[in-house]
Amino acid sequence: MTIFPRMVEAALAEGVVGRAIDRGIIDVRVHDLRDFTTDRHRVVDDAPFGGGPGMVMKPEPFFRAVEHIRAERGQPSVVVLPTPQGRVFSHEVARQMSRLDHVVVLCGRYEGIDDRVRTLLATDEVSIGDYVLSGGELPALVILDAVARLVPGTVGDEQSVEQDSFVRGVLDCPHYTRPAEFCGEAVPAVLLSGHHADIRRWRKREALARTLVRRPDLLAGATLDDEEQEILSELVTQREKEHGDEGD
Ligand code: ADE
C-alpha cells in the first residue's frame, strides 16, 4: 500500500522478482493509497495534533485499504509496517515471512503515520537498518526481494539460495570470469587449474578468511563442514601468529 505505486511497480517488473511474478510463483498487488480516500482531492495527510513541522498520514485510508484487501483476498497473515523503530530485518525474519501466505506492507511517507495505524492495524514493525529513508517503499521492496528469493521456485537454483551468506553464516568467496587478466590483475591461478578439489578448498578458504576479518560475529552461528573447520583453524592460527605481538 503506497502513494507511489509506480515506484514499486517499476522495481517489480525486473529481475528475479519480475520473473517469479510472471511465472505465477508469487503474486504481488500494488495498491494506491489515494484510491482509499473519500474526498475529492484524495488527501492522505493532515497537520499533526500538538503542532510541529511536517504532515502526518491519516489513518482512515490505511484502514479502508486493508479492509478492501481482507474482503478481496481474505485475512492477511501479517500486516507489516516498515519503520526505523521496528525489529531489524534479517535473513531469519525473511525466512519466517517466506512461509506466510499473504503479507500486506503499509508504506508511509511524510513525517510519519498516525500511530493508530501502528497500534491497531500493523501486526509487525520492521526496520531495514539504522538509517532513515523518506518512505516505506524502498524498505517494502527490500523485504519483498529478500522474502521472494526464499520462496521455492523463485531463484532457479535452490542450491544457490542455500549457499547464501547469511544462511550458512559465511560470506561469499570472490568470483571471476574472462578475461583471465584485467588491468594487470590476474585471476587466481587455481581457478584456471581444473583441479576441482583445490578450487573448492580455495573458495572455502577465501570465504572463511573474509568472514573472519569482516564479520567474525557470523562464525559463532555458522554451519561448517569438516574441511571448513580445518581451514578456519588454520586461518585463526595464522592470524594469531601475524598479530601475536599486538596483544588482544
Ligand atoms: N522508513 C524509513 N526508514 C526506514 C528504515 N530504515 N527501515 C524501515 N522503514 C523505514
Side-chain angles (χ1 to χ4, degrees), residues 82-84 126-129 131-133 135 139:
T83 159
V126 176
S127 165
I128 63 159
Y131 41 84
V132 176
L133 297 165

Side-chain angles (χ1 to χ4, degrees), residues 2-176:
T2 169
I3 59 165
F4 295 131
R6 282 176 307 171
M7 175 177 175
V8 178
E9 276 158 2
L12 296 178
E14 310 289 343
V16 167
V17 170
R19 199 183 53 200
I21 293 169
D22 288 345
R23 290 183 178 173
I25 297 164
I26 56 171
D27 180 12
V28 186
R29 309 280 168 104
V30 184
H31 301 271
D32 186 342
L33 190 67
R34 290 192 198 279
D35 291 342
F36 301 95
T37 54
T38 49
D39 64 304
R40 204 156 59 86
H41 300 291
R42 298 167 40 103
V43 173
V44 290
D45 62 329
D46 203 345
F49 273 127
M55 298 292 270
V56 176
M57 294 187 85
K58 294 157 64 64
E60 300 96 321
F62 284 108
F63 278 75
R64 246 182 247 118
V66 172
E67 198 39 58
H68 166 84
I69 292 171
R70 209 174 265 139
E72 284 231 310
R73 322 251 316 188
Q75 179 74 8
S77 314
V78 287
V79 178
V80 178
L81 184 65
T83 159
Q85 290 106 45
R87 64 174 170 146
V88 178
F89 193 61
S90 63
H91 170 71
E92 185 48 33
V93 176
R95 205 181 52 80
Q96 290 163 10
M97 283 190 190
S98 73
R99 297 185 173 161
L100 302 174
D101 269 356
H102 181 188
V103 177
V104 171
V105 186
L106 307 177
C107 302
R109 283 270 149 181
Y110 306 94
E111 298 300 303
I113 307 182
D114 185 289
D115 209 48
R116 287 161 292 190
V117 172
R118 181 182 70 81
T119 55
L120 301 176
L121 200 55
T123 61
D124 201 357
E125 295 170 59
V126 176
S127 165
I128 63 159
D130 291 346
Y131 41 84
V132 176
L133 297 165
S134 47
E137 287 77 11
L138 291 171
L141 288 167
V142 166
I143 293 167
L144 173 61
D145 191 288
V147 171
R149 287 176 60 76
L150 303 177
V151 174
T154 298
V155 176
D157 180 2
E158 290 303 316
Q159 260 198 334
S160 83
V161 174
E162 294 290 306
Q163 293 302 313
D164 272 354
S165 300
F166 302 104
V167 179
R168 297 194 48 239
V170 181
L171 298 177
D172 204 3
C173 66
H175 302 279
Y176 296 92

